[in-house]
Amino acid sequence: MIELAIWIIVSILVAGWLTTCIVIVNGKTAAILETFGRPHEKALTPGLRFKLPWPITMVVDRVNLQLQEVGENVSVKTSDNAFMTLPVKVQYRASDVPSGSVKAHYELENPEQQITSYILNNVRQTAAGMEMIELYRNRDSMEAQVQEALSERFVRFGYIIENVLVDEPQPSEEVKAA
């Protein structure tokens, strides 16, 4: 009787341990795996997936593959010394390529903050060479320049810049008064 109870308990424990081999990855996410602390080169894509049991291989995180947006009001000084505020929004997402999702998880500590920093820097550089009237007329070219610069920079970190939107420039109070 005791042997049967021990066998049942061991069977339950082994069955429970084997269930740690099963991973369900939801749509628009990627599961990041580590084996004994070493990251896998590719993330798990959505669906029912299998891995080595715990504690050998663990899911350490899940990366959101949905389109996300970060916005910032950027204060710029144009080449004709006018101060403007440009509302800028950037739509980005983690790469859905399995190796890109791993980069997106490990490369950047705070992607939203780091993308915002690059937005500020690139928009200021681009606007500094333009006159106030050009900012109103050439928002499309500014959007394209900023998107190209951000895309080049963030693709190596596993992020894709989908779109850069620059809204209507807002002149400072001094410019409005003039």
Side-chain angles (χ1 to χ4, degrees):
M1 186 68 166
I2 293 177
E3 290 176 7
L4 179 64
I6 291 174
W7 188 85
I8 291 173
I9 291 172
V10 169
S11 297
I12 291 172
L13 290 175
V14 168
W17 183 64
L18 287 177
T19 61
T20 66
C21 296
I22 300 170
V23 178
I24 298 174
V25 183
N26 296 330
K28 289 295 186 182
T29 60
I32 308 299
L33 298 178
E34 288 183 358
T35 299
F36 292 124
R38 182 173 168 259
H40 287 215
E41 291 181 15
K42 294 185 178 180
L44 295 180
T45 55
L48 177 65
R49 303 288 177 236
F50 298 96
K51 66 174 189 64
L52 293 174
W54 177 89
I56 300 167
T57 300
M58 296 188 299
V59 175
V60 293
D61 197 12
R62 294 177 189 263
V63 175
N64 183 356
L65 301 177
Q66 291 179 314
L67 191 64
Q68 298 177 58
E69 184 174 89
V70 61
E72 190 68 32
N73 289 325
V74 184
S75 298
V76 298
K77 180 182 176 185
T78 62
S79 62
D80 56 352
N81 291 325
F83 289 92
M84 308 284 288
T85 300
L86 294 173
V88 180
K89 293 186 189 299
V90 173
Q91 296 172 336
Y92 69 98
R93 64 181 174 83
S95 176
D96 54 359
V97 176
S99 61
S101 301
V102 173
K103 283 182 184 179
H105 171 73
Y106 286 105
E107 294 293 325
L108 297 179
E109 177 73 27
N110 186 342
E112 187 173 313
Q113 182 181 14
Q114 289 165 304
I115 289 171
T116 301
S117 296
Y118 275 95
I119 292 169
L120 294 172
N121 191 28
N122 280 299
V123 170
R124 284 185 183 135
Q125 284 178 353
T126 305
M130 302 172 90
E131 292 184 357
M132 183 175 84
I133 210 75
E134 287 179 286
L135 282 179
Y136 286 100
R137 290 185 189 151
N138 298 330
R139 285 185 299 163
D140 292 340
S141 66
M142 175 183 274
E143 289 172 353
Q145 286 177 318
V146 172
Q147 182 170 352
E148 183 179 327
L150 289 174
S151 293
E152 284 178 24
R153 183 71 179 169
F154 285 96
V155 73
R156 67 178 174 229
F157 299 125
Y159 286 94
I160 297 169
I161 305 300
E162 293 287 345
N163 204 3
V164 174
L165 306 166
V166 178
D167 253 353
E168 190 73 26
Q170 303 296 317
S172 66
E173 293 302 319
E174 294 82 23
V175 173
K176 286 181 184 177

